[in-house]
Amino acid sequence: MRVGFPESEIISRMRTLSSMRTIVEAATSRPGREDVLAPSRTRVEHTPRLDGSPQMRAIRTVIENIADTDATVLIRGESGVGKDLVARALHAASARRAGPFVKVNCAAIPGELLESELFGHEKGAFTGAHRRKPGQFEYANSGTVYLDEIAELPLALQAKLLHVLQDFRFTRVGGNGAIEVDARVIAATNRDLEQAMARGEFREDLYYRLNVVEIHVPPLRERREEIPLLVATFLARFNAQYGRHKELAPETLARLMEHPWSGNVRELENAIRRMVVLTEGEQAFAASLARPRNGQAPAAAAPTPAVTEGLREIARRAARAAERQALVEVLDRVHWNRAEASRILKVSYKTLLNKIAECGLTPPSHR
């Protein structure tokens, strides 16, 4: 039997759990604070992909805490983990949401052109500059400029960026007049900036200027409970995009859950796209798992047991696991004061006791 992906049910379950997890993250990160969901805090509601795992909900909580500020943010994580998603969520939750969101990929622009791209140039500033051109910082005025792959910025340009971050004033290439902009800066990298600083490839003063708030996005292999939701999301998107009605077999879902995903969410997205557009896409994916990578044979793995459950049951298991973890964290935080835990989690005392029993939790003194 082949099983379709009930995306609406999964998203609904994940959103239900996210509210409890957000409260837990806020409570456990601020000892003694009572107003864990104060009205002044901006809620991030626009993307369910920030609800799929405890790690992403913790990131969502950070976004909610800093959305109403102009603090510079450094987003770190492997390639393909979703750093762009976090940057766009931060912009959408901020007071600058009506302004532009301007992304600059520092690795995709030649170094000799990057200064002009960021800060603009005047007519005649260099060969081929036939007219004045504003830079991306000017286009981002009243909004957010997102500097992706910031570690690829040349050292000379790092110095200029540092000065811009100090007072948000700069001059175009070939110009004299100072230009002022009002923009929030978000930077991202998949490189180890500490090692880059040790090698003299990245300025220490710029690092500290950018790293006011650091958000680390973990790899997909560390948040596998998100895979069913991501698969359902991508499957629905590509079915609509290509006019298909693709459904995936339980065996394919099991393989997707077990795959290491070195390319993270981007690799998963491309895998689902191939399964939708190719008639034998699932078989091709299964065959690719047996092929060597980088000249080395794949590591031997235990035989995969036959899978009879579909995405719905897997989503339920993921939801139960996330709920149990949330209960454990808040109960440990309040030293098993059940009345206090029920207040923090915003559930009745009876409901809390039922949940504790369902999850098989016991106080430390009874273990």
Side-chain angles (χ1 to χ4, degrees):
M1 181 181 75
R2 299 178 71 81
V3 181
F5 290 88
E7 179 183 6
S8 59
E9 177 174 334
I10 297 169
I11 292 175
S12 174
R13 284 184 171 274
M14 292 300 185
R15 281 178 173 165
T16 299
L17 281 174
S18 73
S19 59
M20 179 170 69
R21 179 65 185 192
T22 299
I23 296 169
V24 173
E25 293 290 344
T28 57
S29 63
R30 293 173 181 77
R33 181 175 174 180
E34 298 295 324
D35 56 334
V36 295
L37 280 180
S40 61
R41 228 176 66 181
T42 305
R43 296 302 302 271
V44 180
E45 300 290 357
H46 79 288
T47 172
R49 283 179 59 184
L50 291 178
D51 288 342
S53 67
Q55 296 96 321
M56 296 306 287
R57 287 193 289 275
I59 290 173
R60 172 175 156 161
T61 300
V62 173
I63 292 174
E64 291 172 346
N65 287 332
I66 65 174
D68 61 347
T69 76
D70 278 336
T72 305
V73 179
L74 179 62
I75 306 173
R76 306 180 71 166
E78 296 177 8
S79 178
V81 293
K83 297 188 289 295
D84 283 23
L85 175 79
V86 173
R88 293 179 187 277
L90 180 54
H91 172 74
S94 74
R96 298 177 178 273
R97 66 179 72 90
F101 179 88
V102 178
K103 177 181 175 180
V104 181
N105 189 328
C106 300
I109 304 170
E112 62 272 16
L113 300 179
L114 195 50
E115 181 177 7
S116 172
E117 183 69 19
L118 288 174
F119 305 115
H121 63 254
E122 297 290 349
K123 180 179 179 181
F126 49 82
T127 302
H130 300 302
R131 58 183 177 85
R132 170 185 290 176
K133 176 185 176 296
Q136 298 300 331
F137 266 82
E138 289 180 73
Y139 288 126
N141 192 44
S142 300
T144 301
V145 59
Y146 172 45
L147 304 177
D148 195 16
E149 304 296 347
I150 189 68
E152 308 306 319
L153 207 63
L155 275 171
L157 199 49
Q158 290 179 28
K160 182 166 184 176
L161 177 60
L162 175 65
H163 289 296
V164 172
L165 292 177
Q166 290 172 348
D167 56 15
F168 283 87
R169 292 165 57 92
F170 58 89
T171 58
R172 298 191 187 104
V173 177
N176 295 314
I179 298 171
E180 292 189 16
V181 295
D182 173 24
R184 182 183 203 157
V185 174
I186 302 174
T189 184
N190 59 13
R191 288 183 52 190
D192 188 327
L193 291 183
E194 288 76 16
Q195 288 189 8
M197 286 190 294
R199 294 192 299 265
E201 298 171 356
F202 199 83
R203 293 179 62 105
E204 184 176 1
D205 46 7
L206 178 59
Y207 170 81
Y208 289 116
R209 178 67 66 173
L210 290 171
N211 198 20
V212 176
V213 177
E214 179 177 305
I215 297 177
H216 174 72
V217 185
L220 185 58
R221 60 184 173 274
E222 294 179 7
R223 43 190 176 103
R224 291 182 180 274
E225 61 268 49
E226 289 184 43
I227 292 176
L229 174 61
L230 290 169
V231 169
T233 300
F234 295 145
L235 191 66
R237 179 197 302 172
F238 296 136
N239 272 333
Q241 180 177 342
Y242 300 114
R244 302 285 205 270
H245 301 282
K246 181 72 176 181
E247 296 179 349
L248 301 186
E251 294 81 5
T252 299
L253 179 60
R255 295 188 184 100
L256 292 170
M257 292 292 291
E258 295 170 0
H259 190 60
W261 300 115
S262 58
N264 294 294
V265 178
R266 186 179 297 124
E267 182 187 0
L268 174 62
E269 180 179 9
N270 290 336
I272 301 303
R273 187 194 299 268
R274 285 192 295 272
M275 292 181 194
V276 170
V277 300
L278 298 176
T279 303
E280 303 296 327
E282 291 179 76
Q283 292 86 336
F285 175 72
S288 72
L289 301 182
R291 287 198 298 266
R293 286 193 170 195
N294 300 323
Q296 296 188 7
T304 301
V307 177
T308 57
E309 62 182 359
L311 183 62
R312 182 175 300 175
E313 181 55 33
I314 291 176
R316 289 196 184 106
R317 286 195 290 104
R320 288 194 295 268
E323 186 176 65
R324 187 181 194 282
Q325 182 63 25
L327 285 168
V328 169
E329 288 185 13
V330 79
L331 286 167
D332 287 346
R333 173 76 184 88
V334 299
H335 306 292
W336 275 77
N337 183 325
R338 295 167 183 80
E340 178 69 5
S342 66
R343 185 191 67 79
I344 293 174
L345 295 172
K346 295 189 177 181
V347 297
S348 69
Y349 187 80
K350 182 178 179 181
T351 297
L352 178 70
L353 295 181
N354 289 338
K355 290 292 182 183
I356 291 174
E358 288 174 10
C359 295
L361 302 178
T362 56
S365 59
H366 295 171
R367 294 172 190 168

